[in-house]
Amino acid sequence: TLDQARLHALCLLDTLGALQPEDVLAALGNKHPAIRRHGIRIAEPLLKVDNKIVVDAILTLEQDGDIQVQLQLAYTLGASNRSECGRVLARLAVRHADNAFLSTAILSSALSHLESMLDEVLSKPAQIAGQAVLTGRLFSMAVATDRFDAVARVLTAATSGGDRALWRFSVLASFLEALRQRGTNLADYLQKAPALQARKASIEAAF
């Protein structure tokens, strides 16, 4: 069929290293989901150099109705450093929280986007309680890799406000477990994290 021919041509251009941004854009806009999915996959080198037109086109596929396209999107967004890619990953994680395959793909791309993913989740107070598992996973990654700004974002959210919501305790428990796995304690961690100094008193009080 014509769609199969287009897919084969796309893969051949990719193999030969002859792909142009225009080829990728055409694939991303194709009506066939398999071609869109491969278009996302082969666009990764262009994401790494922040080709604005291609990145913008890929971001429009956030609401694509095909689950395989969404899966490839989750894997590919990790190739970009643009913060909006992290926000899209967070929204995908919220929307597909019950899909183990998509959750795995999203977490595989999360490391370069921890700050923007956490910003997206924490910017919507109404959804934080329902995303305690996601927040905990991202938080643990941030602690394990000394992403102090990301850690500060979460701890600020968890220790602000007068309510005793369950999600706050869940986040704080994730923090203690991540510290335990690193073989350190709260006092030592806070000491080496400049981003946390401003909230040191409130963080220590929470424990």
Side-chain angles (χ1 to χ4, degrees):
T1 67
L2 182 58
D3 286 330
Q4 287 177 322
R6 286 172 174 161
L7 184 57
H8 291 157
L10 194 64
C11 293
L12 180 60
L13 288 171
D14 182 36
T15 300
L16 296 174
L19 268 176
Q20 298 297 316
E22 293 76 14
D23 302 317
V24 175
L25 291 171
L28 296 175
N30 193 276
K31 62 181 177 60
H32 197 288
I35 296 178
R36 295 197 302 277
R37 176 164 58 88
H38 281 280
I40 295 171
R41 179 185 61 80
I42 62 178
E44 290 187 13
L46 294 171
L47 266 69
K48 290 178 180 177
V49 298
D50 196 29
N51 183 297
K52 185 179 186 307
I53 295 176
V54 172
V55 176
D56 288 346
I58 284 179
L59 290 175
T60 66
L61 297 176
E62 177 185 350
Q63 300 290 342
D64 194 284
D66 185 87
I67 195 65
Q68 292 298 321
V69 171
Q70 297 269 286
L71 183 65
Q72 185 59 57
L73 183 64
Y75 279 121
T76 293
L77 288 177
S80 172
N81 289 322
R82 194 187 296 189
S83 62
E84 182 55 28
C85 292
R87 291 186 174 275
V88 169
L89 282 170
R91 292 194 290 269
L92 288 174
V94 171
R95 192 158 63 247
H96 299 289
D98 296 330
N99 187 314
F101 295 105
L102 256 166
S103 294
T104 297
I106 290 164
L107 289 176
S108 76
S109 294
L111 194 57
S112 58
H113 295 292
L114 291 176
E115 290 80 6
S116 55
M117 289 183 73
L118 286 166
D119 281 345
E120 179 65 25
V121 175
L122 297 173
S123 70
K124 298 177 175 61
Q127 77 176 17
I128 295 177
Q131 300 305 322
V133 173
L134 171 63
T135 304
R137 287 174 176 168
L138 297 174
F139 190 32
S140 296
M141 292 173 69
V143 175
T145 55
D146 285 339
R147 300 282 280 278
F148 297 127
D149 285 341
V151 172
R153 285 166 164 79
V154 181
L155 288 180
T156 296
T159 58
S160 300
D163 65 90
R164 299 174 64 82
L166 182 61
W167 73 268
R168 299 184 190 276
F169 293 100
S170 177
V171 165
L172 295 175
S174 297
F175 184 43
L176 290 179
E177 175 59 20
L179 292 180
R180 186 192 67 78
Q181 291 182 5
R182 291 200 56 176
T184 189
N185 56 53
L186 178 62
D188 288 345
Y189 187 81
L190 292 178
Q191 188 65 36
K192 70 171 187 175
L196 300 175
Q197 292 304 307
R199 296 199 58 84
K200 182 178 179 181
S202 60
I203 293 170
E204 291 177 332
F207 293 95

